[in-house]
């Protein structure tokens, strides 16, 4: 069980590295495009669309890590007011089950949308990227978040990953 937990820790850190690369690419692309528009009056036609996709995909790719380490944005009134660890653990399992249900629905419909985009050959507006690639990455990210909750609840017995994250590439 511990090997599975360490595998998911490594997998989630790889996802964070990909997110770091995406944010760096989006920042460089937006900066270069802004400089070109200022100095030459024109820029890259694809840069706005590419930046939006990079940032959106970054959010979804990071979701598995954020769930696995409990670093996502939450309203944490319960954990600050309740001191009993047993009650906290019960609420964690309930939260995990509810999250698994919603993630399962999102995965199901993500697969439906991805297959429909593939069948119809839907592409993005400017860059003409097949949309099923984008939808597939989002669905795969949801599968990672789903699997992270399974590992968290079953293998790690509700113990979130602790410690700082090494953001170096």
């Amino acid at each position: 069980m511990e090997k599975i937990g360490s595998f998911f820790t490594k997998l989630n850190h790889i996802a964070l590295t990909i997110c770091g690369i995406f944010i760096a690419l989006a920042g460089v692309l937006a900066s270069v495009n802004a400089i070109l528009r200022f100095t030459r009056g024109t820029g890259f036609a694809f840069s706005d669309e590419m930046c939006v996709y990079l940032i959106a995909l970054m959010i979804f790719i990071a979701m598995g890590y954020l769930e696995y380490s409990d670093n996502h944005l939450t309203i944490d009134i319960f954990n600050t007011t309740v001191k009993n660890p047993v009650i906290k653990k019960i609420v964690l399992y309930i939260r995990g089950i509810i999250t698994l249900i919603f993630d399962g629905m999102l995965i199901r419909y993500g697969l439906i949308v991805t297959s429909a985009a593939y069948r119809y050959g839907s592409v993005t507006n400017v860059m003409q990227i097949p949309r099923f690639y984008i939808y597939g990455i989002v669905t795969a990210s949801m599968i990672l978040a789903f699997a992270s909750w399974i590992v968290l609840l079953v293998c790690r017995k509700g113990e979130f990953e602790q410690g700082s994250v090494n953001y170096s590439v």
Side-chain angles (χ1 to χ4, degrees), residues 4-165:
I4 294 172
S6 66
F7 170 76
F8 267 87
T9 299
K10 289 176 185 172
L11 187 63
N12 282 315
H13 285 282
I14 290 169
L16 278 183
T17 302
I18 292 169
C19 291
I21 292 168
F22 278 12
I23 193 80
L25 285 174
V28 167
L29 188 59
S31 298
V32 168
N33 196 40
I35 291 169
L36 285 175
R37 285 184 182 173
F38 181 73
T39 59
R40 306 184 111 207
T42 184
F44 300 127
F46 66 89
S47 72
D48 293 337
E49 183 176 350
M50 180 62 100
C51 286
V52 167
Y53 286 131
L54 286 172
I55 299 300
L57 290 175
M58 180 193 70
I59 292 168
F60 282 102
I61 291 171
M63 191 173 6
Y65 169 77
L66 295 174
E67 292 287 350
Y68 193 64
S69 61
D70 200 29
N71 282 328
H72 50 80
L73 182 62
T74 58
I75 300 172
D76 212 10
I77 295 172
F78 183 80
N79 280 337
T80 57
T81 57
V82 175
K83 304 298 181 204
N84 187 337
V86 174
I87 294 174
K88 284 184 178 184
K89 185 78 73 167
I90 291 169
V91 170
L92 171 76
Y93 274 86
I94 292 170
R95 184 178 113 195
I97 291 167
I98 291 170
T99 303
L100 286 171
I101 291 168
F102 281 111
D103 283 352
M105 290 188 308
L106 290 171
I107 290 167
R108 177 177 182 251
Y109 290 111
L111 292 171
I112 291 169
V113 169
T114 303
S115 66
Y118 179 76
R119 273 183 281 144
Y120 295 120
S122 176
V123 295
T124 61
N125 295 336
V126 177
M127 296 174 44
Q128 301 295 305
I129 298 172
R131 289 184 191 263
F132 76 89
Y133 288 140
I134 296 166
Y135 300 155
I137 291 170
V138 170
T139 304
S141 299
M142 293 303 303
I143 291 169
L144 179 60
F146 185 89
S148 293
W149 266 105
I150 295 288
V151 170
L152 177 67
L153 295 176
V154 176
C155 299
R156 297 180 63 100
K157 302 195 180 6
E159 295 298 322
F160 288 108
E161 177 182 287
Q162 299 297 322
S164 61
V165 178

